[in-house]
Amino acid sequence: MKNFSLIVIYCFILFTAIAQDKQKSISIIPQPVSVKKGVGNFTLTKGTQIEIPSANPEVKRIADSLSKKIFASTGFKVAVKSSNMLIGPRIQLSLINNAAIGKEGYYINATPQTISISANAPAGLFYGVQTLYQLLPKEIESKTVVNKISWTVPVCSITDYPRFEWRGLMFDVARHFFTKDEVKQYIDEMVKYKFNLLHLHLTDDEGWRIEIKGLPKLTEVGAWNVKRVGYFGTFSVPAPNAPRNFGGFYTQADIKDLVQYAKNKFVNILPEIDVPGHSLAAIAAYPELSCSAGIENHGVGSGEEIKDWDKHVALVDDNLCPSNENVYVFLDKVITQVAELFPFEYIHMGGDECFKTFWEKSDAVKALMQKEGLKTMEEVQSYFEKRVEKIVSSKGKKFMGWDEILEGGIAPSAAVMSWRGIKGGIEAANMKHYVVMSPTTFAYIDYMQGDAIVEPHVYETLRLNKTYEFEPVPDGVDSKYIKGGQANLWTEQVYTIRHAEYMTWPRAFAISETLWSPKEKKDFDDFTRRVEKQFERLDVSETKYSPSMYDPIFDASIDSINNQLKINLSSELKGLNIYYTFDNTFPDRFSPKYTGTLTVPPESVMLKVITYRGKEPIGRMIYMPIDELQKRAKEKKNE
Ligand code: ACM
C-alpha cells in the first residue's frame, strides 16, 4: 500500500512537471513553419561541444561565431570539432540534401543529449543557429558572463524555411550619416530575425556617402552639411559661412569591409544611388550636373525646405539634368565603381519624387524633348531612366528603381520597388517585372509608431498592428514576380543609432514574420506575446525598442447631438486596462478605469492616461491636452 501511494505521488509530480514544461511555450520570431515541443531539456554546459562535419569554411565560421556568443554570455569555452564521431552533449551542424527546405531552410532536433541543426546550405545553418539563440534563455544575448543560469533548450523539433527570398530593411545613411560600425551593429540585429538584405540609401539631398574615385568633391563637399536638430524640412537656410562639418562617408575600403561583414552573415547589400531627383549633394559638389544656373550657390541640403510637398513643386533644383551628356558620363563613373564594390545582382537607382519644376523651365530639356520626341515630363524621366538602366546593365548588374520609374514607360529588364502603396507593384508584376514591396501603408518604419503626443515627431503614424497586416502578394498577382518585401527606415528625424533601433523594433519583427513565416501562421495576438519575449532579449542585449504597442489609442470626435467632445480609448494589445484622470493627477490602477466613451468635465485641461496589465503599469504616462483632442476632433469633422 505504501509503495502504491509512492507511485501515485511520483506519477503526479511527473505529470505536473510535464504539464508545466509544455506550458513554457517556445517564442520565436519569425514564427517557424513547424515547431513540435517535447518533454525535457538539453542543457548547455562547459562540457558541450560543437560538431561540424568537415572542413567547410562557412560552416566552421558559423560554428565559431556560435561558440563565441556562448562564451560571451555563459563563460563556457565550447570547442568546435570537425568530426562526426563525438560522444557526449553536443550541438551538431550538418549539411544535408533535402529539397523541401530550400537554400535557407533548416531543421532543429533537440533532445536531452544533442541539438542537431541540419540544412542544405550554410545559410540554413546560420538561420538554425539564430533560432537556437531564441530557444536558449534570454541571457544568451548578454555581452558579459551571466552566472547562475541553467542554459537549457527545450526538447523540440523544428522545420523551417522562408516564404520570400527578399527580406529586407532599408537604412537611409544619407539624411543622417551612420558610421560603418553602426551599420554593422544594425546588421547584427537584423540577422537575428532572419533578414537577408540591407538596402543602403547612399545618396540624397543631404549627403553623398560613398567615395567615388576620380570624383573627389562628391565626398569632400557632398558628404557634409550644417548640423541641425529639430524638425527636418523646416530648418532655416544656413548662412553662407556656416560650418559644413556634419556628416561623413564610407571610403571604398569601408564599403568592402561592410560588404564582407554582411556576406559573412548571409546579408546582401543593395546600394542605392538616388537619381535624378534627391541629388542636391551631388549637385553641390558638381553644379554643372544641374540644368539650373545659380545652383552653385546652394550647398548640400541641411534640412531646410527645398520642396513643397503638397503642390509637388521643387523650391530648389535637386534634379540631375537629363539633357546633359556629362550627367551620363558622371553616372557611368559612379555606377562602374558601385558595381565593382557591391557583389549583389541589383543596383537601385532611385527615381522617386523627381519634381519637374526646373526641368519645365529649362531650354535644354525642351530641346531634348524635341530631339527625342518626348511629350511629357514623365517621358523625360523615362528617357533618363532607360539610359541609366543601359549603364547599369553594361556593368553586368540589374536595374531597380522606386515605382515612379513606371511613369512614362519602363525598360524591359527593370525591377520595381513599390512604395506609394502596392499599386505600382501590381502594375509592374502584371507587366512581368520583378517587384519588391515596401509600401508606406505597412512598411515605412520612419513613421511614428504611437500617438504624436508621445512619439518623436514625424508626419505620419504606422502602428505595429498595421505593420503586421503587410501582405506582399496582392490578390490576382502572379507571386513569381514578387521577390519579397522590406521595411524602410528613412532618417530625416533619426539622429542616432539608438533612435534607429527604437524605430526599427518591434515593427521589423512584424515585417520579418510577414516575409519569412507561412501566411496562414500569422496571428497578431500570438505575435505580440512573442514580441514581449523578444523585448526581454532586447533588454539583455541593450538594444532600444519602442514600447508604443502598450500605449492607448486616442480617438476624438464631436458628438453630433450635443456637439461635445467625445473620447474613445483602445489599445493594440488585448487584456490591458486603461486608467485615466482629468484632474491633472497621475493615474494608476486606483483611478477611474476606462470602460466606454469619455466626455470631458467642464474646464478640464488635461487627460492623463496609463495602461496596466493586472497590477503592473505597462504603458507610458501620457499627457493629452484637451485642446489637442478638440483640434483632432474638429479636423476629423472637416474631413
Ligand atoms: C520614397 O519614400 N521617397 C521612396
Side-chain angles (χ1 to χ4, degrees):
M1 189 61 195
K2 198 171 154 209
N3 277 354
F4 179 73
S5 301
L6 279 176
I7 289 169
V8 170
I9 291 168
Y10 173 78
C11 287
F12 177 76
I13 292 170
L14 185 71
F15 285 125
T16 312
I18 291 172
Q20 280 175 353
D21 195 54
K22 285 248 179 210
Q23 275 166 18
K24 267 204 259 155
S25 52
I26 289 175
S27 299
I28 295 165
I29 291 181
Q31 180 68 52
V33 171
S34 154
V35 179
K36 292 199 177 78
K37 189 168 182 290
V39 176
N41 292 305
F42 172 94
T43 305
L44 183 72
T45 66
K46 61 181 188 311
T48 305
Q49 298 184 316
I50 302 173
E51 178 181 326
I52 55 174
S54 66
N56 181 312
E58 274 193 294
V59 178
K60 170 84 167 61
R61 203 183 59 235
I62 294 163
D64 285 343
S65 71
L66 169 61
S67 167
K68 200 166 147 205
K69 183 151 171 152
I70 290 174
F71 181 64
S73 52
T74 67
F76 305 153
K77 280 202 167 129
V78 170
V80 176
K81 299 234 169 103
S82 175
S83 154
N84 52 12
M85 308 278 289
L86 295 186
I87 48 166
R90 62 201 186 278
I91 303 169
Q92 291 173 316
L93 304 185
S94 43
L95 290 172
I96 54 169
N97 195 348
N98 185 337
I101 55 170
K103 287 197 300 275
E104 296 182 297
Y106 63 90
Y107 295 107
I108 292 182
N109 189 25
T111 70
Q113 293 76 35
T114 333
I115 295 174
S116 154
I117 306 178
S118 51
N120 292 323
L125 292 178
F126 180 78
Y127 293 127
V129 168
Q130 304 314 308
T131 296
L132 172 60
Y133 294 142
Q134 294 192 34
L135 293 168
L136 278 158
K138 62 181 187 299
E139 289 78 8
I140 193 72
E141 295 301 332
S142 172
K143 291 174 191 96
T144 53
V145 173
V146 186
N147 293 312
K148 300 204 181 80
I149 296 280
S150 180
W151 298 98
T152 55
V153 171
V155 165
C156 61
S157 66
I158 296 178
T159 302
D160 203 11
Y161 47 85
R163 182 173 170 211
F164 292 102
E165 65 176 278
W166 186 298
R167 304 182 302 277
L169 289 178
M170 189 214 74
F171 196 10
D172 169 9
V173 293
R175 265 47 176 279
H176 280 103
F177 179 64
F178 292 84
T179 65
K180 183 178 73 168
D181 285 342
E182 289 170 334
V183 176
K184 286 183 179 176
Q185 187 180 326
Y186 203 72
I187 292 171
D188 291 346
E189 288 157 12
M190 65 189 266
V191 297
K192 290 181 188 170
Y193 301 98
K194 304 187 176 81
F195 285 101
N196 65 354
L197 184 123
L198 178 67
H199 169 173
L200 281 184
H201 182 75
L202 287 165
T203 71
D204 213 300
D205 297 320
E206 288 75 25
W208 182 283
R209 306 298 181 200
I210 174 171
E211 177 192 18
I212 300 295
K213 305 238 194 254
L215 293 167
K217 286 202 215 156
L218 282 177
T219 43
E220 282 166 16
V221 174
W224 307 98
N225 64 9
V226 180
K227 181 165 180 170
R228 295 269 193 265
V229 285
Y231 290 168
F232 183 97
T234 65
F235 297 139
S236 55
V237 177
N241 58 355
R244 292 187 165 269
N245 53 12
F246 184 56
F249 65 94
Y250 310 113
T251 64
Q252 295 207 347
D254 288 337
I255 295 283
K256 285 180 192 151
D257 184 32
L258 265 182
V259 164
Q260 187 58 42
Y261 188 86
K263 183 168 177 281
N264 286 349
K265 296 186 176 237
F266 301 92
V267 169
N268 285 310
I269 300 188
L270 169 72
E272 182 187 351
I273 305 295
D274 196 356
V275 291
H278 286 278
S279 293
L280 193 54
I283 290 169
Y286 296 103
E288 61 274 21
L289 298 174
S290 163
C291 304
S292 296
I295 193 69
E296 59 274 17
N297 299 328
H298 202 292
V300 178
S302 298
E304 66 275 24
E305 191 182 19
I306 58 170
K307 285 178 184 173
D308 181 330
W309 294 100
D310 293 334
K311 296 195 184 123
H312 274 224
V313 165
L315 307 174
V316 173
D317 189 4
D318 67 341
N319 287 355
L320 300 184
C321 189
S323 52
N324 178 353
E325 280 307 306
N326 286 331
V327 164
Y328 303 101
V329 174
F330 164 82
L331 286 173
D332 194 293
K333 264 191 199 147
V334 171
I335 294 168
T336 302
Q337 294 179 43
V338 169
E340 278 163 7
L341 287 167
F342 293 91
F344 190 50
E345 59 185 325
Y346 281 96
I347 298 181
H348 194 307
M349 293 302 303
D352 59 320
E353 297 172 322
C354 169
F355 296 173
K356 318 291 192 301
T357 321
F358 290 88
W359 283 2
E360 277 159 5
K361 295 183 190 158
S362 160
D363 289 340
V365 173
K366 282 182 199 144
L368 174 77
M369 291 174 81
Q370 195 141 44
K371 179 161 154 258
E372 298 292 335
L374 308 171
K375 296 193 181 50
T376 63
M377 281 295 147
E378 285 65 40
E379 286 181 16
V380 174
Q381 183 171 349
S382 167
Y383 165 87
F384 174 90
E385 302 294 352
K386 284 177 184 154
R387 289 203 55 180
V388 176
E389 189 274 338
K390 279 211 176 73
I391 301 174
V392 170
S393 298
S394 75
K395 313 298 170 200
K397 297 289 180 178
K398 295 179 182 157
F399 172 97
M400 180 175 278
W402 298 110
D403 57 56
E404 284 93 333
I405 64 168
L406 285 160
E407 294 163 7
I410 179 172
S413 71
V416 171
M417 192 168 268
S418 188
W419 74 279
R420 295 176 300 176
I422 54 171
K423 68 180 186 327
I426 297 173
E427 188 186 333
N430 287 342
M431 286 158 51
K432 301 191 186 328
H433 291 271
Y434 284 114
V435 169
V436 173
M437 289 290 193
S438 61
T440 52
T441 26
F442 302 102
Y444 264 42
I445 58 171
D446 58 322
Y447 290 179
M448 295 177 292
Q449 44 208 320
D451 197 285
I453 211 79
V454 189
E455 295 297 324
H457 170 82
V458 184
Y459 55 92
E460 270 292 348
T461 300
L462 173 65
R463 288 182 178 273
L464 179 65
N465 55 359
K466 183 79 177 169
T467 311
Y468 197 70
E469 288 172 20
F470 180 32
E471 169 47 44
V473 184
D475 288 344
V477 167
D478 186 345
S479 61
K480 90 168 181 236
Y481 293 108
I482 311 293
K483 291 181 95 57
Q486 63 179 47
N488 295 338
L489 181 60
W490 300 101
T491 61
E492 288 96 328
Q493 287 296 132
V494 179
Y495 295 82
T496 63
I497 188 69
R498 292 292 288 169
H499 194 54
E501 291 172 355
Y502 177 94
M503 298 304 283
T504 304
W505 313 110
R507 286 179 297 186
F509 292 153
I511 301 289
S512 90
E513 189 141 307
T514 291
L515 298 174
W516 179 282
S517 307
K519 186 177 169 185
E520 59 283 3
K521 285 229 149 186
K522 284 181 74 180
D523 171 345
F524 185 67
D525 293 335
D526 185 63
F527 168 71
T528 52
R529 177 189 69 72
R530 287 177 284 120
V531 167
E532 294 197 60
K533 291 286 172 202
Q534 297 303 322
F535 281 173
E536 294 174 7
R537 288 171 186 271
L538 299 190
D539 285 338
V540 176
S541 65
E542 296 188 291
T543 305
K544 202 167 186 180
Y545 58 87
S546 166
S548 313
M549 70 174 194
Y550 295 119
D551 292 336
I553 302 168
F554 294 82
D555 175 44
S557 55
I558 304 286
D559 190 308
S560 56
I561 299 170
N562 60 16
N563 223 19
Q564 287 205 336
L565 178 63
K566 284 193 313 188
I567 305 162
N568 284 308
L569 303 175
S570 58
S571 72
E572 288 186 68
L573 300 195
K574 289 208 176 108
L576 303 188
N577 291 321
I578 306 175
Y579 296 94
Y580 66 92
T581 62
F582 280 110
D583 59 9
N584 302 320
T585 58
F586 298 111
D588 60 17
R589 72 183 192 89
F590 299 94
S591 308
K593 181 162 129 184
Y594 178 81
T595 51
T597 306
L598 302 176
T599 48
V600 182
E603 304 192 33
S604 170
V605 291
M606 186 72 75
L607 169 62
K608 285 190 188 152
V609 179
I610 189 165
T611 55
Y612 271 65
R613 180 182 279 143
K615 292 185 175 180
E616 296 301 319
I618 197 160
R620 293 173 285 195
M621 181 70 69
I622 299 185
Y623 299 44
M624 178 60 83
I626 302 302
D627 282 355
E628 170 66 20
L629 291 171
Q630 293 279 15
K631 191 174 114 218
R632 292 183 189 184
K634 279 197 192 113
E635 278 166 11
K636 193 167 172 189
K637 199 172 170 189
N638 295 337
E639 264 169 14

